[in-house]
Amino acid sequence: MADPVNEVYLADRRFDRVLIANRGEIAERIQRACRELGLKTVAICSEADRQASYGKTADSFLCIGPSNAAGSYLNQDAILLAAHLIGAGAIHPGYGFLSENAAFSEAVEKAGIAFIGPEAPSIATMGDKIAAKRAMILAGVPCVPGPDTALPDDTASVERIAREIGYPVIIKAAGGGGGRGMRVVHEAEQLHQAIALTREEARQAFGSAALYVEKFLQHPHHIEIQVLCDIHDNAVWLGHRDCSMQRRHQKVVEEAPAPGISADMIGPVGLACVEACRQIGYRGVGTFEFLYENGAFYFIEMNTRLQVEHPVTEMTSGIDIVRAQIMVAQGLPLEMRQDEVECAGHSFECRINAEDPESFLPSAGMISDLALPEGQGIRVDTHIHAGYRVSPYYDSLIAKLIVHAPTRADAMAKMREALSATRIEGISTNLPLLRALFEDEGFARGETDIHYLEQWLRQRRGQ
Amino acid sequence: MDLSKIKTLIDFVGRSNVTELTVTEKDVSVRIFRAAHPAVPIAPAQVSTGTTSSRAQDDRDASGVAQAMTVTVKAPIFGILHRAPAPGQEPFVKIGDMVEEGQTLFIIEAMKVFNKIAAPRAGRIKQLTDVDGGEVETGAMLAEIA
C-alpha cells in the first residue's frame, strides 16, 4: 500500500518510553536497544522474576502478576494497565508470550500505544497457515507442493489430493506451527486415520479443526530469511540463516549464512519475501521459514516477530535488528536500501539451556558461579549471573553464545574456544552437548539436515 | 506373629517364584516382596535419570524383606509441584489412599516439561506435602508410602 503517511499519524507514533513485555535475555537485549536510542524503559516482571537484573537498570520496574505466565507475561490487561500507569508510548512483546497474538497487537494500538511489531491483520494471516500459504503463492514465494485450501471432508477428494501430491505427505493443522499439530503419512492406507487423529488434536489444541496437506520432504534443511519493513513501503531482506540443528523442533544451533547455498540461489527467494511483505502491508521485522531440499526452497511459515536467533544476522549484516525494529515502529523510514545491505563473514549462535545434556530433563536452581567468554567476535546475550536462580516457570534458555569470524571454519574454531571458556556452575546445562557438536565432522562439513541432531544423539546413546 | 514364623515366610518367598506375599494375622500384617528391580518412581515423558527414595535405593541389593516399611517419595528435580492432573481437578492421591506401584502421585513442572512422579511401590499414602502449585526443592519430601 503506497498511500501517503500523513504527519499527524507519524507524530502520533513517536514515543519516548517503551514497556518491554517479556523476560530473560530478550528483555535485557531490548532494553539495551532502547537505551541506545535514548528511550526510557519500563521493565515488567512476575513474582518469580523480581530479582531480574534488567529490572534494576530500567527506568521503571513493575511486578504485574504471579509466577505463572498466564497471570503475568500473558496477562494482556495487566500489561496494558502497567503501560498506562507509567505512561509508556510503546510495547515491545519480544518473542514467545504475546508476540504473535493478533488480539494483543490490536488492543495495544486501540489503547493509543504503539505495538512494536506488525498490525493485527498481518499476524492473523500468518497465524493461519492456509491463509499464509495463499498469500505466499500470490507473491511468488515458492511453497511446498499441496493445495492452498483446507482439506475437504469427503474421503474420495482427500485421497485424490494426496495421490496427486505423491506420498509421503504431511497432514498439518491450519492453526498449528512450531512443529505442533502435524502427522506424516507414508501410504494411502494410513491416510484416513492420520487425518482423524490430527483433526481431533487440532480441535483441542488450536480450537480449529481445519487441516491441510503437503508433500513431506525427507531430508530438508531449515533455512530462514530475515526481513525488515517500514510503513513507507520500504522493505529489505538481511540475508539467510540455517537452523537445521534441532531437537524436537527446538533449535539448538543457528548460523548465518546457510552453508552450501549460493547468493544466486537464494537471491530470488529473498526478493520474493520482500515482495510478499509489500503486498500484505507488513510492518517491522519478520522471518520467512523454508525447507530446502535438492536445490529448491519451500515456504513453511512466517514468524511475525523478533526471533531468538536474530543475532547471527546482526553479526553478518552489521545491522542492529532490534534498533531498526523500534525505529520503524516510530514511523521512521528504514536507514538502508537493499543495495546497501552487505553480509560478511560467518556467524554461529549456541542456545545454552538449563537442562541435563544426556536426559534433557530441565535443571532449574541457583547458579553458584559463572564464567562467560570474551574477545573479538564473541557476544553473549544473557540475563544470568552468579547467584541468579533459574526459575522453573519459564523455558530453559538461559544464554545465547554468538561468534563471528571471516569464514565458517574460523567461526567454528572461535565457537569451540568460546564454549570451552564458558562455565556455569550449580545447575546442569547443555554445554557438554554443544562442545561435542562443534567437534563433529558432519556438522563441520555443513551437510546437516533437520534430522541430523536427533540421529547424532541416538548414535551417541548407542555407544 | 513371632519372629520364627516371619523367618519361615521369608524363606518361603526366597525359595519360590513368589515376588510378593502379604500375611495378616489378627491386627498384624506382614508384607514380604522381592525387590529384584529397583523401583523407579519418576516416569517422565523423556528418559529420566530418575531419583528414588532413599529406602528404595537401599533395597536394591537386599532382594528380600521389606516389612511394613515406609518409603519416602522425594522431589527428583526442582520445580513446580502439581497434585492434580489439571487445575480444579481431583488430586492424584489423598492421605489414606492405597496406591499401586507406578501410579502417578504428582507432576513436577519445570520449564514447560511435565514430569510424572510415580509411586515406587504399592502401599498406603501416610503423609503428603502441603505444597500444591508451588515450588519444591530437589530432595523435598513429597509423600510417604507405608
Side-chain angles (χ1 to χ4, degrees), chain A residues 359 361-362 389-390 392-394, chain B residues 46 78 80 110-111 115 135 137:
Chain A
S359 68
L361 273 184
R389 196 159 172 275
V390 179
Y393 287 95
Y394 315 106
Chain B
Q46 307 171 28
F78 170 51
I80 304 137
M111 296 153 167
N115 301 283
E135 293 173 26
E137 298 288 340

Side-chain angles (χ1 to χ4, degrees), chain A residues 247-248 354 356 359-365 389-396, chain B residues 44 46-49 77-80 109-113 115 133-135 137:
Chain A
R247 180 184 165 270
R248 297 188 174 201
D356 186 283
S359 68
F360 296 101
L361 273 184
S363 175
R389 196 159 172 275
V390 179
S391 165
Y393 287 95
Y394 315 106
D395 75 35
S396 61
Chain B
Q46 307 171 28
V47 182
S48 155
T49 49
I77 54 168
F78 170 51
I80 304 137
E109 172 191 351
M111 296 153 167
K112 299 179 180 174
V113 179
N115 301 283
E135 293 173 26
E137 298 288 340

Side-chain angles (χ1 to χ4, degrees), chain B residues 57-78:
Chain B
Q57 290 276 13
D58 295 343
D59 289 344
R60 193 170 297 192
D61 310 313
S63 75
V65 192
Q67 186 210 330
M69 70 168 199
T70 301
V71 175
T72 305
V73 181
K74 294 179 178 177
I77 54 168
F78 170 51

Side-chain angles (χ1 to χ4, degrees), chain A residues 245-264:
Chain A
M245 206 56 87
Q246 304 183 3
R247 180 184 165 270
R248 297 188 174 201
H249 301 289
Q250 296 297 308
K251 296 163 188 166
V252 178
V253 177
E254 301 102 340
E255 61 182 298
I261 290 179
S262 68
D264 288 349

Side-chain angles (χ1 to χ4, degrees), chain A residues 291-440:
Chain A
L291 294 177
Y292 171 78
E293 191 174 81
N294 300 328
F297 292 89
Y298 305 97
F299 170 81
I300 42 173
E301 61 184 62
M302 182 185 188
N303 293 323
T304 55
R305 56 171 165 84
L306 184 65
Q307 280 193 285
V308 176
E309 60 271 29
H310 76 274
V312 290
T313 300
E314 293 188 327
M315 300 299 262
T316 50
S317 69
I319 292 166
D320 184 326
I321 293 173
V322 184
R323 174 192 154 94
Q325 183 188 23
I326 296 167
M327 288 176 69
V328 301
Q330 286 191 299
L332 297 167
L334 288 181
E335 289 180 304
M336 78 297 288
R337 294 192 314 265
Q338 188 66 57
D339 57 13
E340 293 166 328
V341 176
E342 272 182 46
C343 294
H346 203 95
S347 178
F348 281 101
E349 174 182 276
C350 282
R351 296 192 187 189
I352 301 177
N353 296 328
E355 67 191 11
D356 186 283
E358 302 286 331
S359 68
F360 296 101
L361 273 184
S363 175
M366 178 81 83
I367 293 173
S368 54
D369 201 10
L370 176 74
L372 297 173
E374 289 176 2
Q376 195 191 6
I378 295 177
R379 164 176 166 185
V380 183
D381 280 17
T382 188
H383 58 294
I384 63 166
H385 50 81
Y388 179 84
R389 196 159 172 275
V390 179
S391 165
Y393 287 95
Y394 315 106
D395 75 35
S396 61
L397 179 72
I398 52 171
K400 303 186 311 204
L401 188 50
I402 304 122
V403 299
H404 184 229
T407 68
R408 187 169 189 268
D410 293 339
M412 282 199 91
K414 197 179 272 291
M415 183 58 91
R416 276 193 286 273
E417 178 52 29
L419 284 167
S420 76
T422 306
R423 201 165 45 75
I424 298 169
E425 310 281 353
I427 56 164
S428 297
T429 71
N430 62 340
L431 276 167
L433 181 89
L434 293 166
R435 289 184 189 121
L437 202 50
F438 272 84
E439 299 289 347
D440 180 69

